[in-house]
Amino acid sequence: MGSAYVELRCRSAFSFLDGASAPEELIARAAAVGASALALGDTGGVYGAPRFFRAAKQAGLRSIVAAEVNVQGAPPVLLLAQSQQGYRHLCRLITQMKQGHAKNDASAAVSYQALEAHQAGLIALAGALPREDLDRLKGIFGTHGLYVEMQRHCDDEAALVNKRAVDRAQSEKVAVLVTNDVRYTDPTRRKVQDIFTCAKERTSVDLIGRKLLRNTERYLKSPQQMQALFR
C-alpha cells in the first residue's frame, strides 16, 4: 500500500446527516496528510461534486467522483466514475433510483438490470460486509470492475464480519481493497457526527446507544497511518 494509498470511500456533509465535513475540508485534510487523490462518494447523489472538484483542482489533487447507490433487495454499492461516460452513467442511475420517490425515501433503489445497462465507465465497491449477490455483481462489473472492501476500525466484532466478506470475495475470485469509510476530516469532528446521527434517528445522545459509531477511527488518515493498520 504505502504512499500510493488513496481513500475511495469518503462521505461529506452532502450525505444528509451522515457526514460531518464539507468537501473543501476533506480536500484540505487530504493535501495536509500527503494524499495524491481522494474519492467523494456521498449517499444517493453527487451534490458535493462541483465544490469537491474545484477544491481538489486548487490543491493539486486528483478528484474521483462517486456515489453510493441502493440496489433493489440488496445492500448498496459505491460506484466510482472512471471517465466522463462513467459520470454520465452514474447520474442516470441516481436519476432512475429517485424517480417516483419522495426526497430521502430510503426505499429508492436501482435494479440489477439498470446497473448492467450503465456499468461502462464505473467501478463498484461492494462494501466490507458479506453479501449474497457478489456473484451477480461480478457478472455485471467483471473481475476488473468490482472490489470487496477491508476496513479496520479497532472493532473486534466488525473485524470478524470483514473476514467473512474477504473469504467470500476470495471464493468468488473478486479482488479486495482497503478503505476507511471516512465520515469526517479528523477525530475532533466525531461529536458533530454523533449529533447528526441523533438527528437522523430522532433521538438524544443519552438514548442513541449503539447506533453511534463506536470510536473516532472513521476520519481521513494519512497513507502512512493506513499502511500501519494493515501491516
Side-chain angles (χ1 to χ4, degrees):
M1 186 160 45
S3 61
Y5 177 81
V6 171
E7 183 57 63
L8 297 178
R9 184 175 284 274
C10 178
R11 299 180 186 180
S12 76
F14 281 93
S15 286
F16 183 61
L17 299 180
D18 208 6
S21 295
E24 296 87 349
E25 293 172 324
L26 291 164
I27 286 293
R29 169 71 177 178
V33 299
S36 61
L38 181 66
L40 181 66
D42 283 311
T43 54
V46 291
Y47 315 105
R51 288 171 53 176
F52 178 69
F53 177 79
R54 284 195 299 270
K57 187 175 181 179
Q58 291 173 358
L61 269 64
R62 180 188 172 202
S63 58
I64 303 168
V65 177
E68 191 173 67
V69 175
N70 291 334
V71 180
Q72 290 176 1
V77 293
L78 180 65
L79 300 176
L80 293 87
Q82 289 184 287
S83 60
Q84 289 185 350
Q85 180 191 38
Y87 181 75
R88 289 195 299 271
H89 283 175
L90 178 60
C91 291
R92 287 171 186 168
L93 284 167
I94 292 169
T95 299
Q96 287 187 27
M97 181 177 73
K98 295 191 172 185
Q99 203 164 28
H101 291 271
K103 186 177 180 181
N104 299 323
D105 184 351
S107 68
V110 296
S111 65
Y112 291 106
Q113 290 77 14
L115 287 175
E116 189 166 14
H118 298 91
Q119 56 80 28
L122 294 173
I123 287 178
L125 303 192
L129 301 176
R131 50 189 303 157
E132 296 179 359
D133 64 341
L134 193 61
D135 57 340
R136 191 163 188 179
L137 290 176
K138 185 175 70 171
I140 295 171
F141 293 97
T143 55
H144 297 293
L146 175 66
Y147 295 85
V148 167
E149 296 160 70
M150 180 185 291
Q151 299 169 359
R152 287 186 180 167
H153 298 128
C154 301
D155 182 337
D156 291 341
E157 183 179 329
L160 291 173
V161 176
N162 259 221
K163 186 180 184 307
R164 291 201 298 272
V166 170
D167 289 345
R168 177 72 194 280
Q170 291 175 340
S171 70
E172 293 286 346
K173 294 182 171 55
V174 173
V176 177
L177 55 75
V178 171
T179 64
N180 199 42
D181 195 16
V182 170
R183 307 298 176 89
Y184 39 82
T185 52
D186 61 82
T188 64
R189 305 289 290 180
R190 161 71 187 277
K191 290 183 180 179
V192 178
Q193 181 73 27
D194 286 352
I195 292 170
F196 282 172
T197 303
C198 289
K200 184 179 180 180
E201 298 293 334
R202 299 183 180 181
T203 188
S204 67
V205 173
D206 292 333
L207 298 176
I208 189 72
R210 297 187 66 178
K211 290 183 179 180
L212 294 179
L213 297 177
R214 293 190 179 185
N215 52 48
T216 63
E217 293 298 315
R218 295 175 196 251
Y219 66 94
L220 190 54
K221 298 179 179 179
S222 70
Q224 293 76 20
Q225 287 174 309
M226 292 301 294
Q227 182 183 34
L229 275 177
F230 288 88
R231 280 178 180 163

